[in-house]
Amino acid sequence: ILRGSEARPHLKPYMASLQLDGQHVCGGFLIAEQWVLSAAHCTEETDGKLFQVLLGAHSLTEPEPHKRLYQVRAQFPHPGSNIHNNKDDLLLLQLEEKAELNTDVRVLPFQREDRDVAADTVCEVAGWGTIDHSGRRPDKLQQVQRPVISRDVCNHRTRHDGTITQNMMCTDSRRKDTCKGDSGGPLVCGGVAEGVVTAGSRVCGNYKKPAIYTRIAPYAAWIDSVMASADG
Ligand SMILES: O=C(O)c1[nH]c2ccc(F)cc2c1NC(=O)[C@H]1C[C@@H]1c1ccccc1
């Protein structure tokens, strides 16, 4: 998160850190007791290794009362996701067991009505992604508020030039923005997850390249079917 602020500890109890060998790779969030939603691109350089999911954390390194690292039973990238574009950039992770819910670990509801969030709506995004242009990585969860921009503006020739589909949405990226490592985290508008930070590599903090999110509502049926089909 560029030019954001430290989140109030444990006030975003749905936040997850997807880790490999103890290193934060991407964000994610708890959508059900045994399920985390993130971005498919985050699995690109993991050569088949499964993530571990850290829940209940504010600091990535310090001991905290409800912080716990969960093993992942299975990972389900959306079948339409691919390395060439941002399409269907969603990843479902089934935890090895149901997460223990408490004050610091809670499910975040996601939007099921497929209707665009109005432009200028101010939403919030959080993550342990880079906090400056030198790529500094925070230890504590950061957050920032960003206004939604319309798909037409985001698709302008000088912005993302028609690549933003109706399954994507954008927020203004002038100065304050998401960045590497924030991908997979939720864009929360009015207490509901409306989008997932896409993990395609993109410049951060440049107003000409707005932040891109995968809208969740169009994928509600896919999410429900994967959760229903997997055992447990
Ligand atoms: O965040 C992303 O957009 C993104 N997209 C990817 C695609 C493949 C992939 F193998 C990884 C990623 C990845 N995350 C990262 O590179 C994470 C490692 C970097 C990071 C930044 C800040 C703080 C901690 C760690």
Side-chain angles (χ1 to χ4, degrees):
I1 302 280
L2 290 188
R3 292 195 186 86
S5 57
E6 182 180 332
R8 303 276 301 283
H10 311 294
L11 288 193
K12 295 172 191 318
Y14 46 80
M15 283 304 295
S17 164
L18 271 53
Q19 310 202 337
L20 281 180
D21 307 322
Q23 292 299 311
H24 172 86
V25 172
C26 275
F29 61 107
L30 204 61
I31 60 164
E33 285 183 279
Q34 203 162 349
W35 294 88
V36 166
L37 185 62
S38 183
H41 279 281
C42 295
T43 60
E44 268 163 22
E45 290 153 34
T46 58
D47 56 293
K49 277 187 282 182
L50 291 176
F51 284 114
Q52 293 181 311
V53 173
L54 182 67
L55 295 177
H58 177 59
S59 160
L60 290 175
T61 57
E62 293 162 18
E64 294 169 336
H66 295 125
K67 201 169 149 178
R68 192 170 146 191
L69 195 63
Y70 287 86
Q71 302 310 314
V72 166
R73 178 175 299 173
Q75 291 177 173
F76 304 83
H78 191 283
S81 61
N82 61 78
I83 57 170
H84 305 295
N85 58 44
N86 285 323
K87 283 202 174 73
D88 303 333
D89 190 13
L90 292 178
L91 173 69
L92 272 168
L93 302 103
Q94 183 184 27
L95 304 179
E96 193 46 72
E97 60 182 297
K98 285 188 176 180
E100 187 184 325
L101 303 183
N102 53 57
T103 51
D104 298 348
V105 179
R106 212 180 62 216
V107 165
L108 175 67
F110 60 84
Q111 183 58 259
R112 289 176 171 276
E113 272 183 59
D114 189 353
R115 199 172 326 124
D116 280 334
V117 176
D120 299 331
T121 304
V122 175
C123 301
E124 188 163 76
V125 60
W128 288 276
T130 44
I131 56 173
D132 62 27
H133 285 290
S134 67
R136 247 167 56 82
R137 301 176 174 195
D139 175 57
K140 295 183 173 64
L141 185 67
Q142 306 290 306
Q143 67 178 16
V144 74
Q145 295 198 314
R146 299 311 300 139
V148 171
I149 62 173
S150 73
R151 188 169 294 103
D152 285 353
V153 167
C154 201
N155 265 329
H156 190 272
R157 176 174 45 84
T158 60
R159 299 319 195 252
H160 288 301
D161 194 13
T163 62
I164 306 302
T165 69
Q166 58 180 7
N167 289 348
M168 300 171 192
M169 63 186 289
C170 301
T171 58
D172 177 281
S173 51
R174 200 171 68 79
R175 293 168 54 78
K176 298 180 175 188
D177 196 4
T178 56
C179 205
K180 215 150 191 46
D182 292 321
S183 302
L187 180 68
V188 183
C189 315
V192 177
E194 291 280 356
V196 175
V197 182
T198 53
S201 60
R202 87 172 241 281
V203 66
C204 317
N206 179 337
Y207 80 100
K208 294 229 167 191
K209 295 299 171 197
I212 307 170
Y213 307 79
T214 305
R215 293 182 57 242
I216 302 171
Y219 297 93
W222 172 72
I223 291 169
D224 289 341
S225 66
V226 169
M227 291 199 295
S229 69
D231 63 70

